């Protein structure tokens, strides 16, 4: 099962070529991950970031087809591996049947000093039923 | 030989954790590519985009160490392959001796309708002496 | 009557001080105006911008209280004057009962060459019943 | 005397209409203020923000003429009033002889809890010779 969130392509996302400027896709992806933590894990980023952080350690994306102003995008997110302090995600965005991007990223859970630390139980429990991923 | 451009980490790049928010790195990378086209190829983006575009088809980055507000980053860029209508880049950013990120991307040269088209001679000539890459 | 749209303060909006970085408020305001044109005037920005544009000619904002990550903001928008080619807006954002910002802006409707031109009938009609403003 | 900083209009600043998206001007202005604190006051933002902050309390801008991709902008900044805990700025941006924007803003110096506090001596001293403003 995958987490889905929708995002209309807005004026602020688009470049002089009239398509989404690719750094804006990463903002959309971050919003999607933030919403996933809030709605699926029950651990919103504003709580996580009081004492810790979940920086992105790596990310890789193929932009298969450009998106235009007004397009209705659906982002799908799946946790493919939960490590001790890391989380591997796979994602894609589509507009109707058309693939716009696909890729993967790895997040790391770090403490105040930026050192990786084990995910808290709330994350492990949320992943235990394999509802949002393959593990 | 590699193209280098410098960027101080500014307030607007940083997140509540006090480090660079990773989508801002992609803005920095885009600025770096834009400066490379201007200064090394002699074909500034404002000219390119009058009738064409160079969208990013794929990108992959490892963020090895976080960057903090005030850090002086040096971005290095190298063209590793020039295809008919594509350009493969490798890049990294360092702060002093410390690696902050490394990765690669592929750009595509497209015409008004978004269709790939052969790079103009100005690009081929600029790459011919292998000054900025391996090809 | 005022147009309202909601925006949760997300990670990407916030600065190292943990509050909304003020240029992000202008992105939120632009999203709000874009949604207003879509939902209230029935003339979405992706249609407007095929042949014209509605640049902001001036804007003035008081940021009365900072907003933090996770805050649920409500933006309220009102058209206070519809000129031949201009539109004066007033807006404010609140979190619960607390005012976060208030201000005003003027938009101008311009044609392909950037020259002001009269609003089309769809805008005049939408404003005629004074539903979304005072005129 | 005014502080000046230059900024080329880059691809990332521009919208589908091919001109600077106005929230990007506020990012440029913030960069300019940050550089002013660093170079003229000798108190870089990365030091300021270790224990305090200088949020923008209000801002007002007239965008007199649009800026296009590739334009070379010069921002001019002047401190028009230094209060106990506030600083009033006036600024404008030009491209050659042409005015692109002008406006003013008020910054406030706040401590860890977000409460206004008196500017430190380094700021008062830097302003004392009236070099960067009228007070």
């Amino acid at each position: 099962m995958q987490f889905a969130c929708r995002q209309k392509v807005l004026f602020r996302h688009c470049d002089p070529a009239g398509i989404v400027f690719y750094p804006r896709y990463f903002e959309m992806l971050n919003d999607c991950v933030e919403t996933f933590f809030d709605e699926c894990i029950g651990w919103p980023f504003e709580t996580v970031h009081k004492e810790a952080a979940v920086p992105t350690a790596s990310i890789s994306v193929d932009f298969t087809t450009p998106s235009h102003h007004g397009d209705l995008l659906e982002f799908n997110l799946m946790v493919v591996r939960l490590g001790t302090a890391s989380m591997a995600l796979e994602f894609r965005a589509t507009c109707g049947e058309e693939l716009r991007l696909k890729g993967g990223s790895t997040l790391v859970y770090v403490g105040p000093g930026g050192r990786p630390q084990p995910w808290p139980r709330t994350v492990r429990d949320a992943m235990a039923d394999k509802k949002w991923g393959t593990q």
Side-chain angles (χ1 to χ4, degrees), chain A residues 9-11 13-22 66-69 71:
Chain A
V9 175
L10 299 172
F11 189 73
H13 297 127
C14 295
D15 66 20
I19 60 174
V20 172
F21 179 46
Y22 83 88
S67 296
H68 293 83
H69 189 186
D71 286 353

Side-chain angles (χ1 to χ4, degrees), chain A residues 49-97:
Chain A
H49 287 87
K50 284 199 197 308
E51 298 184 350
V54 283
T56 296
S58 65
I59 195 161
S60 180
V61 184
D62 290 320
F63 303 100
T64 51
T65 310
S67 296
H68 293 83
H69 189 186
D71 286 353
L72 298 169
L73 302 181
E74 178 173 304
F75 285 82
N76 287 276
L77 204 75
M78 193 168 55
V79 179
V80 291
R81 202 183 69 81
L82 187 71
T84 306
S86 68
M87 182 186 285
L89 299 169
E90 282 181 8
F91 48 79
R92 63 199 173 101
T94 49
C95 179
E97 295 296 303

Side-chain angles (χ1 to χ4, degrees), chain A residues 74-132:
Chain A
E74 178 173 304
F75 285 82
N76 287 276
L77 204 75
M78 193 168 55
V79 179
V80 291
R81 202 183 69 81
L82 187 71
T84 306
S86 68
M87 182 186 285
L89 299 169
E90 282 181 8
F91 48 79
R92 63 199 173 101
T94 49
C95 179
E97 295 296 303
E98 193 172 65
L99 184 67
R100 295 299 169 82
L101 65 83
K102 61 178 177 180
S105 66
T106 301
L107 311 180
V108 181
Y109 179 53
V110 301
R115 212 162 291 197
Q117 60 185 11
W119 290 109
R121 185 153 183 180
T122 184
V123 174
R124 301 224 155 264
D125 286 354
M127 293 300 133
D129 56 6
K130 305 191 178 195
K131 193 177 170 187
W132 302 110

